Amino acid sequence: MKFTAIIEKGENGWLVGQVEEIPAALAQGKTIEELKDNLLDALKLVLEVNKELTEKEYANKTTVVEDLELS
């Protein structure tokens, strides 16, 4: 799966960005490459936190867990 970075120049000269498909993933960087790396880190963190929250929500429930792959 690919994601889209929305990038703009901030007031302080840094680049700021957001992952279009996951708006909670925000980051900044001095270069586009640094920003993209930081956005990927932010994306991973958002997904990890969401997973942890969901696991806690279903911790005491009987569930079936299946893998999904988006292509």
Side-chain angles (χ1 to χ4, degrees):
M1 179 174 191
K2 290 186 179 186
F3 295 95
T4 307
I6 299 173
I7 301 168
E8 62 182 341
K9 196 164 205 165
E11 294 177 15
N12 57 3
W14 285 66
L15 299 170
V16 294
Q18 181 175 30
V19 177
E20 183 176 49
E21 297 82 0
I22 311 289
L26 304 163
Q28 64 181 15
K30 290 212 179 238
T31 66
I32 288 180
E33 286 307 312
E34 180 181 21
L35 172 59
K36 288 170 64 176
D37 287 342
N38 292 344
L39 280 172
L40 289 173
D41 288 342
L43 178 59
K44 289 175 191 174
L45 182 60
V46 167
L47 295 174
E48 287 172 10
V49 168
N50 285 347
K51 182 179 179 181
E52 289 173 10
L53 292 172
T54 303
E55 286 173 346
K56 286 180 184 177
E57 181 179 338
Y58 287 94
N60 297 318
K61 298 178 182 178
T62 303
T63 61
V64 175
V65 178
E66 293 284 333
D67 289 334
L68 294 174
E69 185 174 328
L70 186 60
S71 55

